[in-house]
Amino acid sequence: MSLSEPEGMSAPEVVPVNSSTTRVLWFPPHRPNGAVTGYSIYVNDRLHGSVDNSSGSYLLGNLLPFTVYNIQVEVCTVYACTRSNITKTTTVEDLPTDLPSPHAQVISPRAVRLDWAHPGKPSGIMLGYEVLRRTLRSCTDGSTGVAPSSDSAHGLRFKCFYLQCPVGHSVCGTSCFHPETQICCGGLLHRRKPHHHCCDKHYFSWNETSNPVCCNGKLVPSHPNHQCCGGYYVLIKTNEYCCPDHLQGRVSVGSGDSCCGGVPYSMTGGQLCCNGRLHDGYGLQCCGGQIVDDILVCCDDSVHTYKPGK
């Protein structure tokens, strides 16, 4: 009896999930020539992971944004292995990171020169930069505290204030305090006690050795890869996102980077969230809570046909 390697292993299908994750899909070989024992996924000719023979899907993570990868699936029987053809895929873009602070040089009383470097990780094609500014005004002389005043024409207003504290003190709300004897929890002062921890504005006792986590106004034991989401302390793995559903009083955890109607999804993965529901975003856009073709013009939540010159 001659033993040969599997035949007819087609190239895998690769579906982007987000900027660092894709899903690899494949079908069994046309002629396995034996009992399939498992599949291995290769990225740029390096083994990334393996699954058993019952799976036809693999979540490929820890990828770089806006990068081309060669994906292959290897099928193995007890006696031999063979790889599929290469599928080239490009991860989607992401927000730039590692952008250093700009350097400002005063040229005149009315002009400032700004210089900056490119982000260390562009994570996509750079289209341009936006320069934002905010005017900081100092407190007026003689202001000694907060003075809210109600104005029927303009609503609630707050005057500028300053607080002068002794050396070694900190500020909690509008009061000075000494950190060695007091602690500030959510703007409220408490007398510092051993085995106590802040949780929102409260100062609760905690007798366990590990540091707790404040979630929904309660202290809970800390666990790896857990976060407080919608009042629940839940497990959230890498590349997963938690979406609270306040109407149902529950949360949903899954792959993605945003929420749509209480369901996790990836904003860069080809899906479109419109009016709290997910849709296939290819060639479509959301306008006024409705799905329309992206060749139309959406203006003030109304759909218009594009007319040159208007």
Side-chain angles (χ1 to χ4, degrees):
M1 180 181 65
S2 61
L3 301 175
S4 59
E5 62 185 18
E7 300 177 85
M9 185 64 190
S10 57
E13 179 183 357
V14 182
V15 181
V17 176
N18 54 41
S19 60
S20 61
T21 307
T22 60
R23 183 170 292 278
V24 183
L25 306 170
W26 65 87
F27 292 101
H30 297 304
R31 290 186 298 276
N33 296 325
V36 175
T37 57
Y39 298 91
S40 298
I41 292 80
Y42 284 81
V43 179
N44 295 339
D45 209 31
R46 291 187 177 182
L47 178 64
H48 190 280
S50 301
V51 293
D52 58 29
N53 59 1
S54 63
S55 178
S57 172
Y58 182 81
L59 195 63
L60 190 63
N62 299 321
L63 304 177
L64 297 176
F66 202 62
T67 304
V68 179
Y69 289 95
N70 294 330
I71 311 297
Q72 288 177 286
V73 175
E74 182 182 67
V75 56
C76 291
T77 63
V78 177
Y79 305 101
C81 297
T82 186
R83 290 192 198 180
S84 68
N85 291 331
I86 293 175
T87 297
K88 287 186 176 290
T89 184
T90 304
T91 50
V92 296
E93 293 181 292
D94 202 352
L95 295 176
T97 56
D98 294 345
L99 180 64
S101 300
H103 173 72
Q105 179 184 2
V106 178
I107 299 177
S108 69
R110 293 182 176 273
V112 175
R113 176 184 176 86
L114 293 178
D115 297 287
W116 62 84
H118 294 296
K121 297 179 181 179
S123 301
I125 300 175
M126 300 295 299
L127 299 179
Y129 297 90
E130 292 184 1
V131 179
L132 307 178
R133 73 172 188 177
R134 181 179 62 180
T135 302
L136 300 179
R137 292 183 172 86
S138 60
C139 292
T140 57
D141 294 335
S143 298
T144 57
V146 180
S149 59
S150 178
D151 190 324
S152 58
H154 301 90
L156 188 65
R157 297 180 301 172
F158 287 88
K159 294 182 180 179
C160 187
F161 77 97
Y162 72 89
L163 188 65
Q164 186 173 354
C165 297
V167 176
H169 284 61
S170 299
V171 177
C172 182
T174 59
S175 302
C176 301
F177 76 98
H178 200 292
E180 293 183 0
T181 59
Q182 294 176 300
I183 188 170
C184 183
C185 298
L188 291 182
L189 278 176
H190 300 268
R191 185 170 58 88
R192 187 176 289 275
K193 300 178 183 179
H195 309 297
H196 280 66
H197 294 267
C198 282
C199 185
D200 297 334
K201 295 183 178 181
H202 304 286
Y203 194 44
F204 292 131
S205 173
W206 185 260
N207 294 323
E208 298 186 23
T209 56
S210 62
N211 289 329
V213 174
C214 177
C215 185
N216 197 25
K218 299 179 181 179
L219 293 178
V220 296
S222 175
H223 295 291
N225 301 322
H226 281 63
Q227 297 180 22
C228 185
C229 174
Y232 296 91
Y233 192 55
V234 294
L235 173 64
I236 303 177
K237 300 178 182 178
T238 304
N239 299 322
E240 288 187 339
Y241 203 76
C242 179
C243 297
D245 188 339
H246 299 290
L247 295 178
Q248 299 291 333
R250 57 185 176 87
V251 297
S252 296
V253 178
S255 299
D257 55 17
S258 188
C259 296
C260 182
V263 177
Y265 84 106
S266 175
M267 297 180 65
T268 55
Q271 292 180 303
L272 178 66
C273 180
C274 188
N275 199 24
R277 294 187 177 182
L278 285 175
H279 306 267
D280 183 2
Y282 180 75
L284 302 174
Q285 63 175 319
C286 182
C287 183
Q290 296 182 344
I291 295 295
V292 297
D293 291 335
D294 60 0
I295 61 174
L296 300 176
V297 178
C298 181
C299 184
D300 294 333
D301 292 337
S302 299
V303 181
H304 305 271
T305 303
Y306 174 71
K307 297 179 180 180
K310 292 187 178 180

